[in-house]
Amino acid sequence: MTLVAAGTIVLEDRVCKPGWLAISAGRIIDCAPGPPPRPPDYDFANHVVVPGFVDMHVHGGGGASYADGIGSQIEQAAEFHLRHGTTTTVASLVTASPEDLLRQVRVLTEMTRQKTVAGVHLEGPWLSAVRCGAHDASLMRNPDPAEIDALLTAADGTIRMVTLAPELPGSQDAITRLADADVVVAIGHTDAGYDDAQRAIESGATVGTHVFNAMRPLHHREPGPALALLEDPRITVELIADGVHLHPALVRQVIETVGPDRVALVTDAMAAAGLPDGSFRMGAVEVEVTERVARVRGTSTIAGSTTTMDKLFRTAVGQLGGSDEALVKAARMTATTPAHALKLDRVGSLRVGMDANCVVLEEDLRVQQVMRNGSWLLHC
């Protein structure tokens, strides 16, 4: 048994000063506030320990992309984000041809079995060309039952989430088919109206993909999909709270309105995360990164992000006031809520029975160490 103590630790929904974890065979077997029952094996008296981050929407990082379809690239991207505290990654794929998408899914299915990633997120190809963002609109298409079945068969249960535009012909049937296969359905990259979004929710959609970005904006006579997603308690709303995609005041208002139990902070990071400015690709689309902001080359369209989950955590704590309550809320939005949204029942919080995934943060909330499944993986 390994005993880990910390000066500050977020256990479930409270901050403990101090607190401790007991770990065996990669799982948390005991935890409590106060001093540990014996001298700890690891003592982080001047640090903050939080649950390992869960990123439910990320395309790559450290110069590598999950869409490359190459195992070493997938490992490189996952390792980059692991160094920034993401102990659970769901690899996101952008719109691609049927053949390329099937090939990418097969590779990621094997990497999921190897536990490099925790599953696959298909962000496309069943999206709106009007709200394509950094996706190749020429490759977008309506949901096709045969293609859906082929992807589900190839993935063999590893597709965790699919983002689609509910206004497209065939979307309602697709939502039902995916939900029946225990795939989380998300609404995004959509020009849907308010009623379209409501129908999708009733059919089984439970997530809003990077809400406000790449969707019809709010209007006082046509509220669009964002309001439908925000007002329904069944929906988890993704927010890219990197200071680029959304104004901080809007992020604060959403958190205050719907609560951290329904907000999942996501990076939507691309291969450029962690690298200097320059030229990159996101699927078939050329991207230029300038001052850490990624845009489709020659346009003002934002193309994913260059952020990491630890940055989102620090930003959230700061924006919410820096208090113990802010620590709890930030931990929920970067770990607990996304885990619940993806139906991952052994990650996302520090409590008995959970996988021993945690991040040790310095006093300034920068990553110092990361534990995944009970093993210390790196010194950052």
Side-chain angles (χ1 to χ4, degrees):
M1 182 184 75
T2 300
L3 200 61
V4 178
T8 301
I9 186 169
V10 179
L11 296 178
E12 296 193 68
D13 284 332
R14 59 176 172 163
V15 173
C16 303
K17 296 182 175 180
W20 56 273
L21 300 170
I23 297 160
S24 179
R27 305 282 289 276
I28 299 172
I29 60 170
D30 201 0
C31 60
R38 64 167 173 82
D41 300 290
Y42 300 92
D43 190 359
F44 299 105
N46 299 315
H47 295 77
V48 179
V49 174
V50 298
F53 304 133
V54 178
D55 196 351
M56 62 188 289
H57 189 157
V58 52
H59 297 276
S65 169
Y66 294 123
D68 285 343
I70 301 172
S72 61
Q73 292 285 297
I74 295 166
E75 290 174 346
Q76 180 178 329
E79 173 69 17
F80 167 79
H81 285 289
L82 180 61
R83 292 197 303 271
H84 290 274
T86 300
T87 53
T88 303
T89 291
V90 172
S92 300
L93 296 174
V94 294
T95 298
S97 69
E99 298 79 15
D100 284 345
L101 189 61
L102 196 59
R103 175 180 56 82
Q104 292 162 3
V105 165
R106 285 177 175 142
V107 175
L108 280 169
T109 294
E110 181 58 32
M111 301 308 289
T112 301
R113 293 186 179 122
Q114 295 178 21
K115 302 188 183 305
T116 303
V117 296
V120 183
H121 165 215
L122 300 182
E123 189 185 18
W126 310 304
L127 309 176
S128 167
V130 178
R131 306 289 176 186
C132 63
H135 292 247
D136 187 341
S138 70
L139 295 174
M140 290 179 176
R141 47 200 181 269
N142 295 332
D144 174 69
E147 182 178 23
I148 292 172
D149 285 344
L151 289 165
L152 291 175
T153 299
D156 191 26
T158 63
I159 294 177
R160 284 282 176 186
M161 184 166 71
V162 170
T163 296
L164 53 74
E167 73 273 20
L168 298 180
S171 284
Q172 294 302 313
D173 289 341
I175 293 170
T176 301
R177 173 70 181 94
L178 292 165
D180 287 346
D182 204 29
V183 174
V184 174
V185 179
I187 297 171
H189 283 274
T190 174
D191 199 41
Y194 176 82
D195 293 339
D196 292 325
Q198 282 192 317
R199 280 191 291 271
I201 294 168
E202 291 303 323
S203 295
T206 58
V207 171
T209 292
H210 46 51
V211 173
F212 299 110
N213 296 119
M215 62 177 55
R216 182 186 293 193
L218 282 164
H219 185 274
H220 56 285
R221 285 190 294 274
E222 173 44 70
L227 182 59
L229 294 165
L230 290 168
E231 70 181 0
D232 196 303
R234 295 170 290 185
I235 297 295
T236 299
V237 293
E238 291 183 357
L239 298 180
I240 310 173
D242 62 350
V244 175
H245 285 76
L246 300 170
H247 192 284
L250 179 61
V251 174
R252 289 194 299 270
Q253 184 61 44
V254 171
I255 295 170
E256 181 179 331
T257 301
V258 308
D261 287 344
R262 289 186 51 211
V263 174
L265 301 183
V266 299
T267 63
D268 196 17
M270 58 171 296
L275 296 184
D277 290 354
S279 299
F280 301 87
R281 297 187 72 85
M282 195 165 181
V285 176
E286 295 183 348
V287 175
E288 195 71 28
V289 177
T290 303
E291 296 182 351
R292 311 310 307 136
V293 178
R295 290 187 171 88
V296 176
R297 182 172 295 172
T299 77
S300 61
T301 301
I302 299 174
S305 87
T306 62
T307 195
T308 52
M309 289 298 289
D310 60 323
K311 291 179 182 178
L312 297 182
F313 181 88
R314 286 195 298 274
T315 299
V317 172
Q319 289 181 348
L320 295 172
S323 63
D324 286 353
E325 182 182 4
L327 280 176
V328 171
K329 288 180 178 179
R332 291 201 68 80
M333 294 186 294
T334 55
T336 315
T337 299
H340 286 170
L342 293 172
K343 305 177 185 178
L344 297 169
D345 57 7
R346 285 176 48 178
V347 300
S349 63
L350 300 179
R351 56 185 173 86
V352 173
M354 303 295 277
D355 290 346
N357 295 340
C358 64
V359 186
V360 180
L361 302 169
E362 304 279 2
E363 290 182 345
D364 63 359
L365 302 183
R366 296 186 182 277
V367 177
Q368 200 268 336
Q369 287 194 36
V370 180
M371 174 182 279
R372 186 179 182 211
N373 296 330
S375 297
W376 296 113
L377 299 179
L378 47 91
H379 292 260
C380 301

